[in-house]
Amino acid sequence: RKLGYAIVGLGGYGLGVIIPQFKNCQHSKLVALVSGDPVKAKRVAAEYGVPERSIYDYKNFDSIKDNPDIDIVYVCLPVSMHAEYTIRAAAAGKHVMCEKPMAVSSAECEAMIAACKKAGKKLMIGYRCHFEAYNLEAVRRARAGEIGKLRYFRSEHGFTTGNPNAWRLKKAMSGGGSLMDIGIYALNAARYMTGEEPIAVYAKETTDRNDPRFREVEDMIEFQLEFPSGVIGSCMSMYSANQNHVLLVGDKGRIDMEPGTRYDGNKLWVGQDRSNPITPPPGPGATQWAGQLDHLSLCIINNKEPIVAGEEGLRDIRIIEAVYRSAREQKRIALV
Ligand code: NAD
């Protein structure tokens, strides 16, 4: 059985990445579109076989409740809109997939979780790396003890932003800078790679506020995570250079990924250095996105909780809030 997805937001990710992935899915299909641009929506609907009656805009969005073809709403909007459309989707009786970062604040994340709970609907966050073959293999090998006792985790994530007017660089729409958008991959990886929750953070921000791109949000932020086992996590996030790296150092070797969390082309080495490249077994889906989309469909069919439910998104946002606070107050922040 295939469950029906409505994609909200036909931008770079919703239209450019997610919509073409339904052809790789076994339990998910595209059935509706939500867009502020009727011409674009009509063109995309025609291309992907979505009936015109299943095109919605942001005003009539709530009438999705009367469309039985729609099981799941996938929110691919700027971060400040995630909470509103998740809560409206749940009120319309639909399950929700919401993009990362979950929302601009932990209070919004909590409201999203409560709304889905109240409606009896599932909420999953679009953490695609949990379905990506290289990341799954790295986690498996770390848990199997292949590098011995883990001592140190390191990850840098960044890309070069351009247009100073983009929503990502407007604090009200993004909730923050590189950390919210790309540094969250380093943070999330620190948690799923170590299998631990950090107990404290310490952060340092470096931003050229004269650069027109960084009037409202941070460029570089470096943060240290303390884990209960004594593992130190060291993460760096930036909007002024391209970098994508995940490294685990154990007392018997290293798990090294560069790039580690890209759409494709990820690489993995296990051992003392980079002499042993690993080709992982296939992930749960034909692609990481097929795995992700089908995971929520299967959770609904089998009444199970998604492995990256709303609570997982909330945990990252709570840590991100502590990272920002640490950078602002220049002190270690304990996480409770
Ligand atoms: P985008 O700017 O390309 O697309 C955003 C869409 O929202 C556009 O279609 C735009 O028209 C629409 N929109 C509606 N109201 C808007 C408003 N008031 N202001 C601006 N846009 C408005 O952005 P994107 O890159 O597609 O990002 C969308 C979401 O997807 C974000 O949460 C982002 O973090 C996430 N994302 C995730 C990944 C991933 O790998 N998981 C990759 C890219 C983006």
Side-chain angles (χ1 to χ4, degrees):
R1 178 155 93 92
K2 288 193 174 186
L3 298 197
Y5 271 85
I7 302 296
V8 190
L10 304 181
Y13 200 61
L15 177 58
V17 177
I18 295 299
I19 287 178
Q21 286 294 328
F22 286 98
K23 67 174 181 298
N24 296 317
C25 291
Q26 294 183 3
H27 304 285
S28 314
K29 59 184 178 185
L30 176 67
V31 296
L33 303 171
V34 184
S35 170
D37 180 342
V39 176
K40 188 202 265 184
K42 227 171 153 172
R43 175 175 59 76
V44 176
E47 187 180 344
Y48 288 94
V50 172
E52 276 196 33
R53 63 180 155 76
S54 294
I55 298 175
Y56 298 85
D57 59 30
Y58 298 107
K59 284 203 187 77
N60 68 16
F61 174 76
D62 307 285
S63 59
I64 60 168
K65 72 174 187 309
D66 302 318
N67 187 337
D69 293 345
I70 304 172
D71 299 289
I72 302 164
V73 167
Y74 194 155
V75 181
C76 296
L77 292 167
V79 187
S80 62
M81 301 171 78
H82 288 185
E84 179 186 344
Y85 283 87
T86 295
I87 291 167
R88 284 169 72 180
K94 308 300 180 185
H95 303 279
V96 182
M97 177 85 79
C98 177
E99 257 316 310
K100 49 54 61 180
M102 184 171 170
V104 297
S105 69
S106 54
E108 281 194 356
C109 297
E110 284 162 7
M112 293 158 79
I113 292 169
C116 292
K117 203 159 271 171
K118 187 176 162 212
K121 298 293 153 185
K122 311 250 180 241
L123 171 58
M124 174 168 155
I125 309 303
Y127 285 125
R128 59 181 169 75
C129 294
H130 291 249
F131 307 91
E132 196 273 334
Y134 284 78
N135 280 268
L136 292 173
E137 182 65 0
V139 171
R140 190 189 69 73
R141 286 172 182 257
R143 296 286 188 285
E146 287 197 20
I147 59 167
K149 186 172 159 52
L150 184 63
R151 300 300 302 136
Y152 179 66
F153 171 92
R154 179 176 178 85
S155 181
E156 309 94 39
H157 272 75
F159 68 92
T160 309
T161 52
N163 177 8
N165 298 317
W167 68 259
R168 279 185 170 76
L169 301 176
K170 301 289 166 204
K171 184 141 194 276
M173 297 213 75
S174 58
S178 69
L179 174 57
M180 285 291 273
D181 193 61
I182 184 83
I184 194 168
Y185 286 94
L187 169 59
N188 198 249
R191 295 177 48 243
Y192 64 77
M193 290 285 181
T194 62
E196 293 189 64
E197 293 300 327
I199 52 175
V201 299
Y202 186 84
K204 166 109 178 69
E205 185 200 320
T206 307
T207 301
D208 175 3
R209 293 289 173 186
N210 292 319
D211 185 323
R213 295 172 298 173
F214 305 126
R215 293 218 172 96
E216 297 188 20
V217 300
E218 83 281 357
D219 171 15
M220 289 201 286
I221 191 159
E222 187 167 33
F223 55 100
Q224 210 177 77
L225 303 165
E226 288 172 32
F227 289 101
S229 66
V231 168
I232 294 279
S234 173
C235 300
M236 152 65 93
S237 155
M238 57 196 151
Y239 260 165
S240 52
N242 293 315
Q243 178 70 352
N244 189 305
H245 182 213
V246 174
L247 175 70
L248 287 80
V249 179
D251 61 7
K252 294 196 172 64
R254 312 170 353 140
I255 291 174
D256 194 1
M257 304 175 75
E258 190 169 17
T261 63
R262 289 238 168 99
Y263 290 172
D264 48 52
N266 290 329
K267 291 199 173 72
L268 168 65
W269 298 268
V270 179
Q272 295 300 333
D273 49 30
R274 290 187 171 183
S275 59
N276 181 27
I278 305 288
T279 302
T287 64
Q288 55 184 315
W289 299 277
Q292 177 198 322
L293 292 162
D294 278 347
H295 178 70
L296 181 53
S297 298
L298 285 171
C299 283
I300 293 163
I301 291 166
N302 299 321
N303 195 23
K304 293 219 167 95
E305 266 312 284
I307 57 169
V308 279
E311 285 77 5
E312 179 75 2
L314 168 62
R315 273 185 209 110
D316 278 346
I317 297 297
R318 279 191 180 138
I319 299 166
I320 284 173
E321 287 175 343
V323 168
Y324 282 138
R325 192 177 144 212
S326 172
R328 229 174 20 244
E329 298 179 6
Q330 297 188 7
K331 65 177 192 201
R332 174 184 179 274
I333 304 290
L335 297 159
V336 280

